[in-house]
Amino acid sequence: MVESGIEVERVSHRYGAREALADVSFSVAPGQSVALLGPNGGGKTTLLRILATLLLPTSGTARIAGEDVRREPQRVRTVLGVVFQSPGLDKKLTVGENLGYQARLTGIRRAERRTRIARALEATGVSARRAEKVEKLSGGLARRVDLARAFLARPRILLLDEPTVGLDPAARRDFWSATAALRAETGATILYTTHLTEEARSADRVGLVDRGRLEAFDSPDVLTSSIGGDLVTVRGGDPVSLAAGIEERLGWKARALDGAAVFEHPRGAEVVVRLAEAFPGLGSISVARPTLEDVFLRRTGRRMDTADEEARG
């Protein structure tokens, strides 16, 4: 048993006839940062709500710091900090008042409150905003205050559910810098959900979640190296016919995707000349290293943005 980490064993959950999670299993070691990457509606938030003791699994077992979330929810909550998609702040209160209220709720002794609040605000870079009402803050600053609130009790495990939704790129960078600083200071284990591959890339482990299933779980480098080489994208004419021609003439199995023919090759740069000779008049040929988006496509058969559109529809 991972005594101070997270264990998920064959967890499933249904909302009536709809299966939101299907037999999900993974473990997170103490101090690790893990990203659950997948489209909206793929099951990530359902799993996080189960780990936060807000939802019971239909079947399976989940443990936080060795405690069963079903049997010992109160004990689990004592080691958790949670940042949900919807901010947990009172907009009519000041930043300091919000943190003071949270400190009392979590049982932090009066003698420690001032120090804890000051350190949390400093670590997240919002000390100068202590007297301002939350409603006056930008979305990025409010998110950092939410992070400070979650860290007041110095949790051993932090759960973040799409915490940067709606933030611009600069605000996202600030949020993750603040999270990294707090993690370095406390050694907390962090599990977060995201549909942005660039956010997942910095995690120690990444879980690819789609349609309620965990399609892969490993380090970002291992996942991208599983592609087996460079990705070659060829544009020019009908992509289906072009993909078939590449396989027939050159023996490289290609597929039509986003208006192009795409295939993998261990030495992508070396195939450009052969493609140009075999197919005169091509529009373009590009070679790139595989990304987590490419891994998601390989494992699920669809792109992340396409999956997002299906979920919204």
Side-chain angles (χ1 to χ4, degrees):
M1 182 180 294
V2 182
E3 292 295 342
S4 55
I6 301 170
E7 280 190 313
V8 177
E9 298 177 0
R10 306 196 67 178
V11 166
S12 297
H13 187 79
R14 303 187 72 89
Y15 294 105
R18 184 172 74 86
E19 187 177 52
L21 290 174
D23 206 31
V24 173
S25 298
F26 65 91
S27 63
V28 181
Q32 278 191 333
S33 172
V34 172
L36 298 179
L37 175 65
N40 296 321
K44 307 187 305 295
T45 294
T46 295
L47 179 56
L48 215 75
R49 288 176 62 82
I50 289 172
L51 295 176
T53 74
L54 299 176
L55 191 66
L56 292 176
T58 303
S59 61
T61 303
R63 297 184 182 88
I64 297 286
E67 301 290 352
D68 191 307
V69 299
R70 186 195 297 270
R71 298 177 181 175
E72 301 290 347
Q74 293 298 333
R75 290 188 182 182
V76 169
R77 290 169 191 161
T78 64
V79 301
L80 282 182
V82 185
V83 175
F84 295 109
Q85 288 189 41
S86 300
L89 304 171
D90 188 325
K91 293 183 178 181
K92 296 299 181 182
L93 297 180
T94 67
V95 170
E97 288 169 342
N98 267 280
L99 267 64
Y101 182 61
Q102 181 68 22
R104 289 190 291 273
L105 281 178
T106 53
I108 297 173
R109 293 180 298 177
R110 181 188 296 270
E112 296 181 36
R113 287 176 198 163
R114 184 179 295 274
T115 300
R116 289 278 192 97
I117 291 172
R119 291 188 67 178
L121 292 174
E122 181 180 2
T124 51
V126 289
S127 295
R129 309 287 182 152
R130 182 167 183 159
E132 292 186 34
K133 287 188 176 181
V134 170
E135 65 183 0
K136 301 294 185 181
L137 301 179
S138 67
L141 287 172
R143 238 18 191 154
R144 281 192 270 163
V145 174
D146 220 8
L147 181 63
R149 178 193 60 80
F151 257 95
L152 268 180
R154 302 182 71 80
R156 291 159 61 187
I157 295 173
L158 182 65
L159 304 178
L160 308 173
D161 188 17
E162 295 276 5
T164 64
V165 166
L167 301 186
D168 60 44
R172 287 203 300 268
R173 287 194 298 270
D174 288 344
F175 178 87
W176 290 116
S177 293
T179 303
L182 288 168
R183 180 189 175 201
E185 179 183 340
T186 65
T189 303
I190 297 179
L191 177 67
Y192 62 96
T193 69
T194 182
H195 63 281
L196 302 174
T197 55
E198 65 268 25
E199 288 192 344
R201 192 68 180 83
S202 61
D204 298 319
R205 294 287 185 275
V206 175
L208 300 181
V209 182
D210 186 46
R211 294 167 174 163
R213 298 185 180 277
L214 185 66
E215 300 291 351
F217 189 84
D218 217 315
S219 71
D221 287 341
V222 169
L223 289 175
T224 53
S225 65
S226 69
I227 292 292
D230 298 321
L231 287 175
V232 183
T233 301
V234 187
R235 298 185 183 276
D238 175 56
V240 175
S241 299
L242 182 57
I246 290 172
E247 184 170 1
E248 180 181 348
R249 297 188 199 179
L250 301 174
W252 303 324
K253 186 173 179 58
R255 63 184 182 277
L257 182 68
D258 295 340
V262 181
F263 65 94
E264 301 158 14
H265 195 281
R267 298 175 301 281
E270 298 178 10
V271 308
V272 174
V273 173
R274 292 186 63 187
L275 281 167
E277 291 174 346
F279 300 92
L282 287 175
S284 66
I285 304 170
S286 61
V287 179
R289 296 297 301 161
T291 66
L292 288 173
E293 171 75 29
D294 298 316
V295 180
F296 184 87
L297 174 64
R298 164 75 77 84
R299 298 301 179 99
T300 67
R302 56 184 187 156
R303 285 198 178 278
M304 194 94 65
D305 53 359
T306 302
D308 268 331
E309 290 172 5
E310 289 180 10
R312 287 193 295 269

